[in-house]
Amino acid sequence: MPVHVVTDTTACLSVDAARREGVTVVPLHVSVGGRGSVPAREITPSEVADLLLQGRERLSTSRPSPGEFAEAYREAARAGASGVVSVHLSSRVSGTVEAAELARDQLAGELAVEVVDSGVLGMALGYAVRAASSVAAGGGSAREVADAALRRAAESRTWFCVDTLDHLRRGGRIGLAQALVGSALAIKPILTVRDGEVHPLERVRTRAKAHQRLVDLAVEAVEGARAEGREVEVAVQQLGAQEAAERISGELRERTGLVPELTELDPVISVHVGPGTVGVTVAPV
């Protein structure tokens, strides 16, 4: 039987998309004030955005438990999988990889599980998972499936801008972009994910200029991939910024001929970036 692919909700794959890909999605968790933790599938990004804008309750996130991963792996085994490749967001911003590794160790001798630290998140992770799923469906070995995910993740580029760095700072996910906090009121920073962490890339003065810079960076990356004879996929991701995302998507379509995948950020990433966030991912095939 084929290798089965497992991922987490930060891959931004809808329930239908995960089903089509034959992928199991283990949810991270969101906590709202003192109301306890709920799986990310049980709260929408829009609800997260509203709660953040209201500012009355503290939101936090947590990784899945090793037990949740172990159950997902056992379910794959019961369905006949020969092994599992579990592909997750960067270990530098979440303990999800560690939880998956603990579950893997619990199942040692029972089922072969390979855990992949993608070093990315959002649609860059989603594209990596799709690459892994494609290789698995073709009968690839666990190593080939894992390598496909790592390759796609390493070649993907993501840029995003946020309305404020406060959410990243509060959640401890700001990485080297911490240096921008002091001047954050005067700028709209362009951020990127590199080496598994959030890094500052550029500073611009207005939201409109930041959005235009996202388009320019994506177009440059698409043209670079095409110069190497590569096909490429593009995604525009947003939280509480649908109109801006649609404008960016339209301009990318005009300038590249591609039809970007327009998605909402998942609830967990949403907690850490906040409303008004827009990002673009370019993923060579």
Side-chain angles (χ1 to χ4, degrees), residues 45 236-243 245 262-265 270 277-279:
V236 179
Q237 303 147 92
Q238 58 83 25
L239 178 68
Q242 182 71 24
E243 289 185 9
L262 191 57
T263 67
E264 200 167 31
L265 289 166
S270 297
T277 296
V278 183

Side-chain angles (χ1 to χ4, degrees), residues 141-241:
S141 67
R143 184 66 262 163
E144 290 169 333
V145 172
D147 285 346
L150 285 167
R151 206 163 37 241
R152 194 87 193 273
E155 293 176 343
S156 297
R157 301 285 305 280
T158 295
W159 306 272
F160 64 103
C161 60
V162 296
D163 263 0
T164 172
L165 290 167
D166 286 348
H167 302 294
L168 282 165
R169 178 180 54 77
R170 288 181 198 139
R173 267 65 172 192
I174 198 165
L176 296 179
Q178 177 69 42
L180 297 176
V181 169
S183 57
L185 291 177
I187 63 168
K188 292 298 178 187
I190 304 292
L191 306 170
T192 190
V193 179
R194 188 171 66 248
D195 299 325
E197 292 184 297
V198 176
H199 287 250
L201 184 67
E202 299 176 4
R203 309 176 191 212
V204 293
R205 288 290 177 182
T206 67
R207 183 182 294 107
K209 288 180 179 179
H211 293 171
Q212 186 59 52
R213 187 62 183 136
L214 291 179
V215 173
D216 293 341
L217 288 164
V219 170
E220 290 169 14
V222 169
E223 291 175 346
R226 284 174 167 170
E228 297 174 355
R230 308 282 298 277
E231 297 293 328
V232 65
E233 293 181 295
V234 178
V236 179
Q237 303 147 92
Q238 58 83 25
L239 178 68

Side-chain angles (χ1 to χ4, degrees), residues 61-82:
T61 62
S62 57
R63 70 185 192 182
S65 70
E68 289 173 285
F69 278 119
E71 178 53 32
Y73 301 158
R74 289 192 175 105
E75 181 60 33
R78 288 192 289 267
S82 60

Side-chain angles (χ1 to χ4, degrees), residues 27-32 35-43 60 62 267-268:
L28 277 76
H29 297 261
V30 176
S31 295
V32 181
R35 289 186 267 169
S37 176
V38 298
R41 290 290 198 203
E42 297 179 14
I43 185 170
S60 61
S62 57
V268 168

Side-chain angles (χ1 to χ4, degrees), residues 71-107:
E71 178 53 32
Y73 301 158
R74 289 192 175 105
E75 181 60 33
R78 288 192 289 267
S82 60
V84 169
V85 173
S86 203
V87 187
H88 301 290
L89 78 162
S90 171
S91 62
R92 295 199 173 189
V93 297
S94 170
T96 301
V97 164
E98 181 185 26
E101 290 173 338
L102 289 169
R104 174 201 62 197
D105 295 345
Q106 288 176 17
L107 272 62

